[in-house]
Amino acid sequence: MSKQELIAQLQDREILPGSALFDQIHELKADNEELVMEMNGKYHTNKEVLAYLAKITDREIDASVKIAQPFYTDFGKHISFGKDIFINQNVTFVDLGGIVIEDHVLIGPMCRIISVNHLADPQKRRGLSVATVKIKENAWLGANVTVLPGVTIGQNAIVAADSTVTKDVPDNVIVAGSPAKVIKEIKSSVKENALEQVL
């Protein structure tokens, strides 16, 4: 089963313990954990980290991506990285539902991006539901930010340190707090056409 087929099967449904899908997820998760432990077990150059991540995600990672160790992901196969991304140390991706990181994104230390929830029903609490998280181009997550399932962080948006993001963030705003709320609009001092020439 391809990654796209698996993600499609996971969306908009309850994934319950004992089901074939639940078991398959945890088999793949166990394989990923070994690679993550190897990657974080000692110092590696960025080129070596990206080689590990290519194995973990089953995707080629652009050489412009910079990731500080340690970096954690529980599933691994459902992460998509763009170009010119910087991820600081001790960041965790819970990516079963899909995490998309677009070009030029900055992610501060200790951030957590979560695409999986347990079920609210006490009788089904060990079950799972998923929703894709998207961090759009040139967004910046400050230190210790948590992004919850199904959230999209807009282009150029800034999420202030220690915030918890529970709903979509528009383009070109700063949000802060728990839950995060818009506190300011961002106005660029560079004209749009000049910015395109730089990028």
Side-chain angles (χ1 to χ4, degrees):
M1 182 186 300
S2 71
K3 287 185 287 190
Q4 290 75 18
E5 290 170 333
L6 180 56
I7 287 181
Q9 281 200 32
L10 296 173
Q11 301 298 319
D12 301 317
R13 66 181 294 175
E14 295 180 344
I15 307 159
L16 298 175
S19 67
L21 186 56
F22 189 92
D23 291 343
Q24 181 186 11
I25 288 165
H26 283 79
E27 287 173 9
L28 291 169
K29 182 176 180 291
D31 292 340
N32 178 62
E33 286 170 351
E34 185 174 348
L35 282 170
V36 172
M37 288 296 292
E38 286 181 15
M39 179 177 68
N40 290 325
K42 66 175 185 177
Y43 170 78
H44 293 286
T45 65
N46 193 68
K47 184 176 181 180
E48 291 169 336
V49 169
L50 297 187
Y52 271 107
L53 285 174
K55 293 178 185 176
I56 287 167
T57 62
D58 281 339
R59 300 171 188 255
E60 288 301 313
I61 312 295
D62 192 84
S64 63
V65 174
K66 308 296 183 189
I67 299 181
Q69 293 176 264
F71 172 80
Y72 300 101
T73 167
D74 69 331
F75 189 72
K77 303 301 182 189
H78 293 169
I79 303 170
S80 173
F81 290 109
K83 298 179 180 179
D84 191 30
I85 293 162
F86 176 68
I87 299 177
N88 215 322
Q89 62 186 3
N90 283 303
V91 168
T92 298
F93 284 8
V94 180
D95 66 286
L96 180 62
I99 295 175
V100 178
I101 311 295
E102 294 188 356
D103 298 348
H104 313 299
V105 165
L106 302 174
I107 300 179
M110 304 294 292
C111 285
R112 295 160 298 278
I113 301 178
I114 313 294
S115 68
V116 181
N117 259 330
H118 285 284
L119 304 179
D121 184 339
Q123 302 304 315
K124 299 179 179 180
R125 186 64 50 83
R126 295 283 180 171
L128 306 173
S129 66
V130 305
T132 300
V133 175
K134 296 179 182 178
I135 314 297
K136 298 184 79 172
E137 185 173 358
N138 208 40
W140 170 22
L141 308 187
N144 203 40
V145 163
T146 299
V147 181
L148 295 182
V151 166
T152 295
I153 306 293
Q155 185 174 5
N156 299 321
I158 298 171
V159 181
D162 294 320
S163 297
T164 299
V165 188
T166 62
K167 61 182 181 180
D168 290 353
V169 174
D171 296 347
N172 300 302
V173 299
I174 301 173
V175 299
S178 183
K181 296 179 181 179
V182 175
I183 60 170
K184 187 176 182 180
E185 292 187 9
I186 298 170
K187 295 181 180 179
S188 176
S189 60
V190 181
K191 291 183 179 179
E192 188 173 331
N193 60 350
L195 182 59
E196 288 175 355
Q197 291 176 6
V198 171
L199 297 177

